[in-house]
Amino acid sequence: MEETQEDRGTRWLDDQEQENWHAFAYLLSQLPAALEAQMQRDAGFGHFEYLVLSALSGAPGGTLRMSEVAHYTGSTLSRLSNLVSRLEKRGWVTRRPDPDDGRYTLASLTGDGRRATAAAAPAHVAEVRRLVLDPLTRAQQRQLGAAARRILTALQAPCPPAATHRAAPPCPPPSAERGADPA
């Protein structure tokens, strides 16, 4: 096969890299669909709605700025605003201007929203364990988290906030986690 101008300098995937990439790409299509189906079946609302409700439920006073919720869910403010409008109609979330800075809007979980989140959480956690955590050893779970943070860094995406709503540490540069890689 004759080398073309486009081939020069291209780092093609070797067989192992291609196999790993295909497995990961397929996972990226299958996992969201499985989590969405579980939430719809068991809670009657979607996984994205659950992420929003969960973010608010873990926040002090059940309240976050919309921009913080967007960061937590990896969403745009426009998409989030449309969803929060639907959650407001269900009586699960309210919005109001941030009294500390009127340029921001606060989203707050209502009592009904907290109950809906609490009712959905056990089945969601069980599904996350079944599909993602239980098939892996503890070491593999740590490697999964480290790999995800490294990919987020390569994407120049913000690292997700800590699950406990403490300030999330910044994603380390790719070289910083090399010591965590398996030997």
Side-chain angles (χ1 to χ4, degrees):
M1 184 169 140
E2 189 175 315
E3 183 180 53
T4 66
Q5 184 71 22
E6 294 84 32
D7 288 337
R8 291 189 196 112
T10 300
R11 290 182 50 220
W12 296 108
L13 302 180
D14 64 29
D15 290 344
Q16 184 64 58
E17 289 170 330
Q18 192 162 8
E19 187 176 313
N20 290 337
W21 166 245
H22 285 179
F24 183 67
Y26 192 62
L27 168 68
L28 290 176
S29 71
Q30 297 299 301
L31 184 60
L35 293 173
E36 180 69 20
Q38 177 275 314
M39 289 302 301
Q40 289 291 344
R41 180 184 65 245
D42 295 337
F45 55 89
H47 189 246
F48 182 53
E49 287 89 342
Y50 180 77
L51 288 176
V52 170
L53 295 169
S54 177
L56 293 172
S57 120
T63 299
L64 288 171
R65 285 180 172 173
M66 289 284 287
S67 56
E68 292 172 310
V69 178
H71 175 205
Y72 179 83
T73 60
S75 176
T76 64
L77 280 173
S78 175
R79 178 178 183 218
L80 178 63
S81 182
N82 289 330
L83 172 76
V84 170
S85 292
R86 291 192 305 272
L87 295 175
E88 283 179 307
K89 287 177 184 165
R90 292 182 89 163
W92 292 355
V93 174
T94 60
R95 281 187 278 194
R96 68 182 188 286
D98 185 338
D100 295 331
D101 188 337
R103 297 175 297 171
Y104 294 97
T105 299
L106 298 176
S108 297
L109 195 62
T110 66
D112 286 346
R114 191 169 296 283
R115 285 185 285 281
T117 307
H124 175 67
V125 169
E127 193 74 343
V128 167
R129 284 194 173 286
R130 184 180 77 81
L131 296 176
V132 179
L133 299 174
D134 289 348
L136 305 175
T137 66
R138 280 287 200 190
Q140 289 170 328
Q141 290 173 16
R142 286 190 299 276
Q143 291 167 357
L144 177 65
R149 287 186 292 280
R150 289 178 71 145
I151 293 169
L152 286 167
T153 298
L155 289 168
Q156 298 180 340
C159 272
T164 57
H165 292 278
R166 295 183 313 264
C171 280
S175 61
E177 288 190 3
R178 291 204 182 180
D181 287 347

